[in-house]
Amino acid sequence: MVDVASSLLPDEAVQRALIFALSVTKKHSSALQYRITSSLLSGILEQSSGPTKGDVISLNISSKHAAAFLEKTVGPETWSALGEQSRLDLIEAEQLWGRSFFELGAGRADWGALIALYSRAIEAEVREHIVPLVNRLQKVGLCQVKEMTLGGCIKAIREAKKAMRLSGSLPIAERDRRAVDKLHAFFTDINSFIDTYRNHAAHGNRERPITSLQLTSWRIAMFDGGLFKVVVESQSE
């Protein structure tokens, strides 16, 4: 679909059809399949919006344009709250995505490299913003984890949420209770696949490659779902 549509994008009728299809899918944004379709259509239209020379389409995205897209997408305040290296990792990941986007329609089997690169930023920001919360939860006995990784922190949040359900009165600050609720909703109720996909990508599991659908779900969680905003705000709840 991507290859065919991109080759026809100079045709105004095709562009109008894609814009119409995008408007329809956005009306059903609560359903995952429509969110994925909306993301793909948006990507196709974005690829056609840049200047071209003759019949040549450049798939390279400059660092400046990638940074501008990311700042707009995750929000200026959240973007500025991320560490410098995290921002650089995300910029590099978006540049790689820009170069490989059209392989979505060419049968590429494994997109794990992209998720592994995105994960670097997520892991770093989890350590910066969620680990202080996890340390406080451990001190009052609400969870117990050995490694402060993305998976370890998600495990801690799930344990803390379970403990909070079982006991009405706990020695926990109200802001920490709200942070646990929000993090649990994001990483367990809505996007429980985040840690699983990250592990498959990082460990190079060839028997469980990251599919294009899984990559799109991951990007939706990061950008439409506001992953970085949720992580950054866990300290200020």
Side-chain angles (χ1 to χ4, degrees):
M1 180 187 75
V2 174
D3 284 341
V4 173
S6 62
S7 67
L8 296 174
L9 277 172
D11 188 318
E12 291 185 5
V14 174
Q15 287 186 319
R16 288 197 298 271
L18 287 171
I19 291 171
F20 173 75
L22 180 61
S23 69
V24 172
T25 59
K26 285 184 175 180
K27 292 179 182 178
H28 304 276
S29 59
S30 60
L32 177 60
Q33 64 266 36
Y34 285 107
R35 290 165 62 195
I36 292 172
T37 302
S38 177
S39 178
L40 290 173
L41 290 173
S42 296
I44 293 170
L45 288 167
E46 285 172 10
Q47 288 292 334
S48 70
S49 62
T52 60
K53 182 178 181 180
D55 294 326
V56 178
I57 297 177
S58 173
L59 299 184
N60 291 322
I61 301 175
S62 69
S63 297
K64 180 180 179 181
H65 284 93
F69 164 78
L70 288 162
E71 182 177 15
K72 178 182 178 181
T73 304
V74 306
E77 291 186 9
T78 300
W79 181 247
S80 63
L82 301 180
E84 180 181 4
Q85 187 58 54
S86 292
R87 293 196 296 269
L88 291 174
D89 284 339
L90 289 172
I91 289 170
E92 185 176 350
E94 280 306 291
Q95 290 178 304
L96 177 57
W97 167 246
R99 291 193 297 272
S100 56
F101 175 85
F102 287 97
E103 293 183 68
L104 279 173
R108 178 169 172 171
D110 193 350
W111 292 85
L114 258 172
I115 284 188
L117 189 50
Y118 283 127
S119 295
R120 281 174 52 87
I122 297 174
E123 289 271 1
E125 297 308 314
V126 162
R127 289 192 177 93
E128 177 68 22
H129 298 284
I130 298 182
V131 165
L133 168 65
V134 172
N135 284 334
R136 293 195 296 272
L137 296 174
Q138 288 199 113
K139 284 182 180 180
V140 296
L142 293 183
C143 62
Q144 187 64 49
V145 293
K146 295 180 179 180
E147 297 182 359
M148 294 297 185
T149 59
L150 172 62
C153 287
I154 291 176
K155 177 177 180 291
I157 295 300
R158 289 171 178 164
E159 289 180 0
K161 180 66 176 180
K162 182 178 179 179
M164 288 164 54
R165 287 192 183 120
L166 295 175
S167 178
S169 58
L170 291 168
I172 177 175
E174 184 59 30
R175 67 164 187 161
D176 288 346
R177 185 186 296 272
R178 290 197 302 270
V180 169
D181 287 341
K182 182 176 286 189
L183 289 167
H184 187 273
F186 186 90
F187 285 107
T188 298
D189 298 338
I190 303 173
N191 302 295
S192 59
F193 57 83
I194 292 288
D195 189 38
T196 300
Y197 291 1
R198 180 264 172 204
N199 288 338
H200 290 170
H203 299 154
N205 190 333
R206 304 307 183 191
E207 296 180 357
R208 293 184 177 180
I210 300 299
T211 67
S212 58
L213 182 63
Q214 290 172 330
L215 172 65
T216 304
S217 298
W218 179 282
R219 284 175 56 81
I220 288 173
M222 280 196 308
F223 298 141
D224 295 350
L227 184 152
F228 290 104
K229 187 173 188 291
V230 171
V231 169
V232 167
E233 290 183 349
S234 65
Q235 284 201 88
S236 58
E237 281 296 324

